[in-house]
Amino acid sequence: MTEKFFQYIWQYRLFYPNNMKVEQTGETIEVINPGQLNTDAGPDFFNAQIKIGNTLWAGNVELHLKPSDWYLHKHQQDAAYDNVILHVVAESSNKPAITSKGREVPEVILRFPDELKQRFDAISNNHSVIRCGNLIGQLTSLDRNSWIDRLLAERFEQRQQMVESYIAETNCDWDQIFFILLCRAMGFVVNAEPMQYLARHTPIKVLLKHCNTLQMEAILFGQAGLLPASPPDEYSATLLREYNLLKVKFSLRPMDGSEWKWLRLRPSNFPTIRLSQIAAIIARVPGNFESAFATTNVHSIIEQLNVSASDYWSTHYQFGKEGSSASKTLGLQSRRLIVINAVVPLLFAYARRRGNHTEQLNIVSMLSFLPVEKNSRLSEWQQYGISPQHEGEAQALLLLYKEYCQKHKCLVCRWGHCVLAGHKL
């Protein structure tokens, strides 16, 4: 048993409430309020209310598996523990806790059902990432759905924080923020960071002043550090000339081209193809992003993103390296991912900034109109009978896997709590 689990039992009142007595005096104890869990230095729980005998006490509570830990942690020398009204322990001792002022702290042994510890041990000893997987079948549909809804809200909160950082960085330039989110999404994990760097150091206003595809590609490829110093063909030579002029005119600074990743990427996902497609998107939806995406019709937005790389890239994947002819159209799955990772977070943050709660709800519901994208993490849930019905549920499960299951945070997970508590709460 861990101390965190011991705190969890106290926090959620999973102990036997009857016949609780002070070890030193035999006085009865009634827990009116277990207090608020403290995650910083100091006693474990603040502002608890404990009735000891006929007296109601208000103060802090400290928990230890071993009573001697009070002295091991030197609480007897720390004034921060002088307001502790109850010392909760897992076993008896012959030496009660004493505060720095010499006051003896009432002590109680916390007793709880054996099956609670058995369930905790079963989960803790499971080496699978989803530790409670074999027990999830016990959950009611209400347990499942309420936690999924909360996780989706948490997912949006995470994205909101990311957008807020861009708002501060760009001085609330929403067009630039959209450009950053678009580029990051178009990096598709492997090149997300280089794409983000490129967008943060390339003013969208410069791109919008040059709405023809050639000039946009010149700026993007130049800023990406991908234009060859010795152009192998006329097209790359033209791009290099254009970029050299625009670089001086707008004081642009290219990034190091070595930052891009190519290994084990499908040619259709090469940075060159993605940058050309980004140029096509910007050319197709120029100007104010608000007018470009003035709809919560997710299928309409997906269609707006239906673009192809320029003609040069229909026969190339890299500069000067010609291949078989094929249209480099941005695929449906890629467009859906852009909506999920760029458009929806931006629209949500924009609506939230304006205080439009109804619009926020409409934007969240956009994900319910998207089918679930393939993901290996989702298949792990499916083996336990958890299958998302739409992309909103999928996003919630991905967050659950990453932020709770992988970090073994079962004690703060609603599903973990239901399994451990046996649906008592």
Side-chain angles (χ1 to χ4, degrees):
M1 182 169 61
T2 66
E3 192 158 295
K4 282 188 177 181
F5 178 59
F6 198 51
Q7 292 173 348
Y8 169 83
I9 294 171
W10 175 261
Q11 181 180 6
Y12 291 102
R13 299 171 178 260
L14 300 177
F15 49 83
Y16 290 122
N18 300 325
N19 300 320
M20 294 180 70
K21 295 182 179 181
V22 176
E23 286 295 293
Q24 298 98 313
T25 64
E27 293 176 281
T28 60
I29 295 175
E30 182 182 356
V31 180
I32 308 300
N33 186 337
Q36 181 180 355
L37 180 64
N38 172 34
T39 56
D40 297 316
D44 293 324
F45 288 86
F46 289 152
N47 303 321
Q49 290 182 312
I50 309 294
K51 189 176 182 181
I52 301 178
N54 295 320
T55 305
L56 180 63
W57 295 82
N60 303 329
V61 173
E62 179 69 4
L63 282 76
H64 288 120
L65 294 177
K66 295 182 178 180
S68 59
D69 285 346
W70 178 277
Y71 295 97
L72 182 65
H73 300 160
K74 302 187 185 303
H75 296 334
Q76 79 280 11
Q77 302 173 10
D78 191 342
Y81 291 81
D82 287 349
N83 196 30
V84 170
I85 59 174
L86 188 65
H87 188 207
V88 182
V89 297
E91 58 187 47
S92 62
S93 70
N94 297 320
K95 186 178 181 181
I98 304 294
T99 68
S100 66
K101 293 182 178 179
R103 178 176 63 87
E104 184 175 311
V105 181
E107 189 171 275
V108 63
I109 298 176
L110 196 67
R111 294 178 171 85
F112 52 90
D114 290 339
E115 58 265 26
L116 185 60
K117 184 176 183 301
Q118 291 169 4
R119 285 193 289 267
F120 177 74
D121 289 341
I123 291 176
S124 301
N125 296 329
N126 187 341
H127 299 297
S128 300
V129 176
I130 304 175
R131 291 183 165 192
C132 67
N134 294 326
L135 302 172
I136 289 178
Q138 301 176 11
L139 301 177
T140 65
S141 58
L142 179 60
D143 291 332
R144 292 192 186 192
N145 295 336
S146 61
W147 187 227
I148 287 289
D149 290 343
R150 179 63 189 88
L151 288 166
L152 183 57
E154 187 174 330
R155 184 73 157 177
F156 271 87
E157 286 296 328
Q158 284 187 349
R159 298 293 173 85
Q160 178 72 23
Q161 291 176 13
M162 179 178 65
V163 175
E164 288 290 338
S165 69
Y166 296 147
I167 289 173
E169 177 183 323
T170 65
N171 196 24
C172 210
D173 185 337
W174 289 98
D175 293 331
Q176 187 69 36
I177 294 168
F178 170 64
F179 182 50
I180 295 172
L181 289 170
L182 171 66
C183 288
R184 183 176 178 83
M186 289 286 281
F188 297 103
V189 181
V190 175
N191 278 307
E193 291 302 322
M195 278 288 191
Q196 178 179 257
Y197 184 92
L198 168 68
R200 292 172 65 185
H201 293 82
T202 305
I204 187 65
K205 290 180 174 61
V206 173
L207 282 170
L208 294 175
K209 287 179 180 179
H210 305 84
C211 284
N212 69 74
T213 302
L214 187 141
Q215 287 182 310
M216 279 196 177
E217 288 195 2
I219 294 169
L220 289 173
F221 286 122
Q223 286 293 91
L226 295 177
L227 288 177
S230 300
D233 51 38
E234 181 56 31
Y235 187 72
S236 54
T238 302
L239 292 180
L240 183 61
R241 287 194 299 269
E242 284 287 335
Y243 178 68
N244 285 335
L245 291 172
L246 296 170
K247 179 173 66 173
V248 175
K249 182 178 180 180
F250 295 103
S251 301
L252 300 176
R253 293 185 178 180
M255 62 188 286
D256 188 340
S258 64
E259 294 185 30
W260 297 97
K261 298 177 179 64
W262 306 81
L263 190 64
R264 289 188 289 275
L265 283 179
R266 293 181 179 179
S268 60
N269 204 25
F270 278 4
T272 46
I273 306 302
R274 294 310 186 192
L275 288 173
S276 181
Q277 290 168 341
I278 289 172
I281 292 174
I282 299 299
R284 186 166 189 177
V285 289
N288 187 289
F289 95 91
E290 187 180 15
S291 61
F293 299 111
T295 177
T296 55
N297 186 322
V298 68
H299 300 295
S300 176
I301 294 175
I302 289 173
E303 184 55 36
Q304 281 187 287
L305 298 172
N306 189 9
V307 299
S308 297
S310 60
D311 292 342
Y312 178 83
W313 299 106
S314 65
T315 56
H316 295 76
Y317 286 102
Q318 291 178 290
F319 287 109
K321 296 182 179 180
E322 194 166 355
S324 58
S325 178
S327 174
K328 306 302 189 302
T329 302
L330 187 59
L332 179 59
Q333 183 175 350
S334 295
R335 284 181 274 147
R336 287 173 178 165
L337 289 173
I338 293 170
V339 170
I340 294 166
N341 296 316
V343 178
V344 168
L346 181 72
L347 293 176
F348 180 83
Y350 189 63
R352 187 167 183 173
R353 273 270 168 161
R354 293 184 299 161
N356 192 327
H357 183 67
T358 300
E359 190 174 348
Q360 290 177 57
L361 293 176
N362 290 336
I363 292 165
V364 172
S365 69
M366 289 171 66
L367 296 182
S368 66
F369 294 97
L370 288 174
V372 177
E373 300 294 337
K374 291 182 180 180
N375 189 294
S376 59
R377 298 291 178 254
L378 295 177
S379 63
E380 294 194 40
W381 285 112
Q382 289 166 353
Q383 68 177 311
Y384 298 115
I386 305 295
S387 297
Q389 300 303 304
H390 53 73
E391 189 56 37
E393 292 184 356
Q395 290 292 304
L397 288 173
L398 290 173
L399 177 71
L400 177 58
Y401 188 92
K402 179 181 179 182
E403 297 297 332
Y404 291 83
C405 298
Q406 284 190 321
K407 296 179 181 180
H408 299 161
K409 295 169 67 174
C410 305
L411 296 181
V412 293
C413 169
R414 177 64 187 174
W415 288 358
H417 174 70
C418 289
V419 168
L420 285 171
H423 301 279
K424 289 181 180 179
L425 292 179

